[in-house]
Every structure is written in C-alpha cells, then in structure tokens.
C-alpha cells in the first residue's frame, strides 16, 4: 500500500482555493441540502440502533457510524450521531442516493479504541457498506487499520490525527492536527493577540500532542515566545494548579489549550479561583465546553477557538441546519454535528459521482469512492467549495469563533 502524501497545510488552504490534484476532473459542485424542518420530536435513533427507513425500488445503502455517546467524550459522539441523522433524513426524503434509501446505524465506542473496533465488527455483521466515523482520533486510528484490511470506505468527521487518514480508503472532513496547530499560531500572530504564550497539553493523547508540536514550530515563524509548555496525562487530568502557576509566573498573556473540552473546563475553573485571567485559545476539541454539565459558561467568556463552523452564521444552509437541529434536539449544534452532516453529504456526492448502487459490496463501493472523492466539490456547513486530494485531506478555509454572552460568535 503506497504511502499517502501529507496535507499541503492549512496555511496554503487559507491563502488559495485548492482543487483536487492528479488531473482529476472536478465534478459539478454539490450543495448540502438546506435542512428542512425536522419531523423528529427527539432522538431519531438511539445509539446503536438503526434508523427506520422505507426500502425503495433502488434498495437500501447501509452507512455505519461510530463514536462516543456515553463517557467523557459523549458531547462529540452525540453531536456527530445527530448531525449525520439529520442529513440521512433529508437525503431519504429527497429520494435517497441513486434511488436507494439510506439506512444509518450508529454504535457507541466510549472513546475507547478496543470498543471502537468491536463496534466496527458489529456494523460489518449488520451489512455496512461505508463508514462515517470514528469521532475521536485514537479509536479512529485503530478502526482505520481494519477498514484498510477490508477495503471499506471510511470518512471521519473529526478524527484529526495524521494517522487517521494514513490509508488510501480514509478521508476526513476536519483539519488534521498539524494543520490546526500551524493555523492557530498563525492566527494568534497575525492578529497580534499576544506575544508571550503558555501551552497546556495532554502528552498522552495523539490529538493534543500533535497540535502542540506544530504550534510550537509555527510560533517561531510568527515571533511568538512560548514561555511555558506544561504537559499532563490521562492519569493526571484533574488538578492543573502547577501548570497554571507556571504559566502565570512566566507572564503568559495567552494560554493555548490544544485539548478536549472536559479538561479545558477544569482549567478555566481553576484559573478563575487563582485570579489568573489570560486570553484562552483552543482548537476544535474545545467545541463542546458550553455543554459541560454544571460548568459556569461565564468562565468561558472571551474564549477563542479555531473551528470550521459557527452556529450564528447567516447563510441559509447554516440557519436552516441550526433550526432543524434545535427543533429535533433542543440545543445549538456544535462543530462536530456540522462535520457529520457534511460527511454524509460527501458520501452522497461521491456515490452519485461513482454511480453506486445498493447491490454493490463494500469493497467495490470503496474502490469507486476512492476515485470519486477526488472529483467532487461540496458546499457544506464547514466550508464552501470543499475538495479532497489523494491524501484524504479536505481543502477549505478555517474560521475562528469567540464565546460572547455564553454563545459562539463568528470572528
């Protein structure tokens, strides 16, 4: 299996609109359908249960999903499940994919690699023909090894580690960790947010450490001084007093947090108690902090993060999606829901480009989609004119949001 190319980098994507490489003909741009008012009164499907679909003359195409719907990362998995289900419901209502209805089944992996592989095997037994998942990076890497062996098409909405998309059958919607790290440093430097930076990161997590490494590299180019770089691990992720004190003593004006929202919420609480009030800046793993149970969202006021989705954007697609999501689930969607929505529409566009039918097996579908993903162009919630290259990476412009009055506000 040939080694895949690394992403061209988010900085390039920010500067120019890139098209698929290799001389592939780019298909006509597909626009994700504006979300119709959802008929769901609550959850359309519980975790691990298939959505009810009406089998059309064209049969049924089975798309599986994997992510944490319980445990510490459940905010991510539930958002992905819900965003994907809204897209599936819309697609089915509009006639399906090449005349076939879509059946969607989502399995909980509790953000655990072994359980994610078990979930994958369960979906294979169900008859899955393509996978939308997994949600978090470590489980995604484990499952990607299995999908490569099986030649199963996989598109992860939010698995951002480089290794997630290392195989030619895997594509992603989100930016990779190195791209996020470089873009964060560039954003801080170009907007002159601070000159003295502290970083608190999880050295035991590939997502966090991957972002930090690239952030540190790009910080030198931006003239940023990292005055403190303090690590923690999964075994020491409750007390951050030492890291915060070192950042404070070093005179940090901004603290970069390339971590997940659970630990970030504790850091903000503990910083507040010590009177340490720098600017806090995060990446997509921060998205979800406003939904943490018993967290005072006032502590996140002014928090900034890079994300490809802002729920308060005024374009029709976002407005309709947010309304449908609120109607169905009684909450504002986070980036992960938008990632999943776009992932389902990317599968649809690629399947239509390839002429996929419901009677094709998973391997034949995978072979077809590996080519068609290089042809399509998607106007989605997380980017306009999104294209993919052979390395599985998306090309689109990033966005930044800031927490204002307890809500994400586009910068």
């Amino acid at each position: 299996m040939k080694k895949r190319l690394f992403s061209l980098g988010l900085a390039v994507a920010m500067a120019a609109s890139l098209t698929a490489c290799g001389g592939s003909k780019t298909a006509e741009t597909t626009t994700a359908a504006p979300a119709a008012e959802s008929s769901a009164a609550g959850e359309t499907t519980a975790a691990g249960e298939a959505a009810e679909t009406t089998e059309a003359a064209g049969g049924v195409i089975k798309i599986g999903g994997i992510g944490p719907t319980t445990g510490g990362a459940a905010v991510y998995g539930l958002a992905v499940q819900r965003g994907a289900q809204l897209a599936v419901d819309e697609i089915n209502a509009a006639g399906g994919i090449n005349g076939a209805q879509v059946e969607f089944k989502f399995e909980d992996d509790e953000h655990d690699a072994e359980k994610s592989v078990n979930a994958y095997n369960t979906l294979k037994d169900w008859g899955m023909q393509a996978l939308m998942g997994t949600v978090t990076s470590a489980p995604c890497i484990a499952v990607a090894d299995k999908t490569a062996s099986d030649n199963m098409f996989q598109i992860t909405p939010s698995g951002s580690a480089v290794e997630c998309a290392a195989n030619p059958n895997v594509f992603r919607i989100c930016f990779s960790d190195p791209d996020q790290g470089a873009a964060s440093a560039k954003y801080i430097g170009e907007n002159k947010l601070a000159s003295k930076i502290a970083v608190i990161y999880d050295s035991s997590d590939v997502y966090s450490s991957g972002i930090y490494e690239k952030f540190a590299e790009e910080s030198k180019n931006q003239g940023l001084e990292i005055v403190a770089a303090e690590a923690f691990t999964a075994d020491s992720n409750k007390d951050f007093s030492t890291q915060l004190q070192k950042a404070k003593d070093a005179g940090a004006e901004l603290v970069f947090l390339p971590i997940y929202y659970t630990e970030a919420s504790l850091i903000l609480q503990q910083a507040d108690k010590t009177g340490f009030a720098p600017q806090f800046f995060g990446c997509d793993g921060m998205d979800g902090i406003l939904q943490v149970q018993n967290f005072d969202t006032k502590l996140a006021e002014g928090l900034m993060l890079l994300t490809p989705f802002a729920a308060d954007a005024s374009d029709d697609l976002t407005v309709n999606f947010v309304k449908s999501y609120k109607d169905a689930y009684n909450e504002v969607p986070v980036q992960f829901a938008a990632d999943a929505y776009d992932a389902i529409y990317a599968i649809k566009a690629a399947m239509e480009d390839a002429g996929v039918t419901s009677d094709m097996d998973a391997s034949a579908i995978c072979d077809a989609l590996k080519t068609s993903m290089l042809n399509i162009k998607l106007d989605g919630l997380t980017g306009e004119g999104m294209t993919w290259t052979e390395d599985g990476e998306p090309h689109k412009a990033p966005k930044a949001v800031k927490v204002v009055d307890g809500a994400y506000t586009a910068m």
Side-chain angles (χ1 to χ4, degrees), residues 66 90 93 135 251:
I66 302 173
E90 291 172 11
V135 172

Side-chain angles (χ1 to χ4, degrees), residues 147-235:
T147 62
S149 297
D150 295 335
N151 200 36
M152 172 79 70
F153 178 78
Q154 179 180 356
I155 183 166
T156 172
S158 48
S160 56
V162 171
E163 295 85 353
C164 289
N167 300 322
N169 63 304
V170 187
F171 293 77
R172 70 170 124 226
I173 296 294
C174 65
F175 294 122
S176 69
D177 295 341
D179 282 347
Q180 290 195 67
S184 296
K186 187 171 184 180
Y187 191 92
I188 292 168
E190 290 182 346
N191 290 279
K192 303 186 185 307
L193 299 182
S195 58
K196 293 186 176 182
I197 315 294
V199 184
I200 301 177
Y201 69 101
D202 183 352
S203 60
S204 66
D205 180 69
V206 293
Y207 166 82
S208 185
S209 56
I211 293 177
Y212 163 63
E213 289 171 7
K214 198 66 177 180
F215 178 85
E217 181 181 319
E218 180 60 28
S219 289
K220 297 175 183 177
N221 300 330
Q222 297 298 322
L224 304 176
E225 181 185 1
I226 297 180
V227 295
E230 300 300 317
F232 65 91
T233 68
D235 297 325

